[in-house]
Amino acid sequence: MLDDRDRKLLTLLQRDAEASVTVLAERVALSVSACSRRIARLREAGYIARQVAILDRRAMRVPTTVFVMVRTTRHAADWLDAFRRALADIPEIVEVHRLTGHYDYVLKMVLPNVEHYDTVYKALVGRVELSDVSASISMETLKDDSALPTGFA
């Protein structure tokens, strides 16, 4: 069970995983050693899955976001395995969700420009059979946050 200090530590670490233990300890009113032990415990308990660097999309020259809605008539395990392999092999596809409703999957792609969508589309449909594909280009990102709410744990 997490307490308020654990939740605050997790929130702070989500914002800046490189923050020093000294800074974190001060922000949650703990000694440096107690804060370090808490972080280690949170990591061991699986609350901290990994630490990553979040790259700037404009600097990486992939400023365009396209959301692709996919329907398929195939739902067998072999098709799903092939779909997963295809998704893993296409780096522009950064997120995929299986859905309820009219479409089966939504894919989030990051691209250098809209024209590059056709290249990714051809790579995907060349690997797996899809019955319907519909793309929408994001015109503006209103919120882009990888931080999870900590109040439920």
Side-chain angles (χ1 to χ4, degrees):
M1 190 73 181
L2 298 180
D3 65 19
D4 288 342
R5 281 190 174 132
D6 291 332
R7 288 185 190 90
K8 187 165 184 179
L9 267 174
L10 290 171
T11 298
L12 293 168
L13 286 167
Q14 287 186 98
R15 296 286 173 226
D16 183 5
E18 291 184 331
S20 71
V21 177
T22 304
V23 169
L24 294 169
E26 184 178 300
R27 298 281 307 272
V28 296
L30 286 172
S31 70
V32 172
S33 60
C35 184
S36 182
R37 285 191 303 273
R38 276 188 187 243
I39 293 170
R41 181 178 49 79
L42 291 166
R43 187 171 282 115
E44 289 166 12
Y47 291 101
I48 301 171
R50 67 185 194 274
Q51 288 180 229
V52 298
I54 298 174
L55 305 180
D56 182 276
R57 288 190 39 200
R58 293 211 181 275
M60 297 306 296
R61 301 180 66 170
V62 287
T64 304
T65 303
V66 175
F67 293 96
V68 181
M69 305 300 286
V70 172
R71 278 195 302 177
T72 181
T73 57
R74 307 264 324 268
H75 297 280
D78 63 329
W79 180 90
L80 186 55
D81 288 343
F83 186 52
R84 284 187 169 137
R85 283 192 304 275
L87 296 171
D89 290 344
I90 302 172
E92 295 92 339
I93 301 172
V94 296
E95 197 170 336
V96 179
H97 298 268
R98 189 166 61 94
L99 306 173
T100 62
H102 186 67
Y103 287 98
D104 297 306
Y105 300 92
V106 62
L107 290 61
K108 179 182 177 183
M109 297 182 184
V110 295
L111 307 169
N113 51 50
V114 172
E115 292 79 13
H116 189 71
Y117 169 72
D118 192 49
T119 302
V120 178
Y121 169 81
K122 287 175 181 174
L124 182 61
V125 299
R127 301 268 309 265
V128 292
E129 181 184 335
L130 303 172
S131 65
D132 186 20
V133 178
S134 177
S136 295
I137 301 163
S138 172
M139 295 176 56
E140 179 183 14
T141 300
L142 302 177
K143 182 177 180 177
D144 183 16
D145 195 348
S146 62
L148 300 177
T150 59
F152 300 103

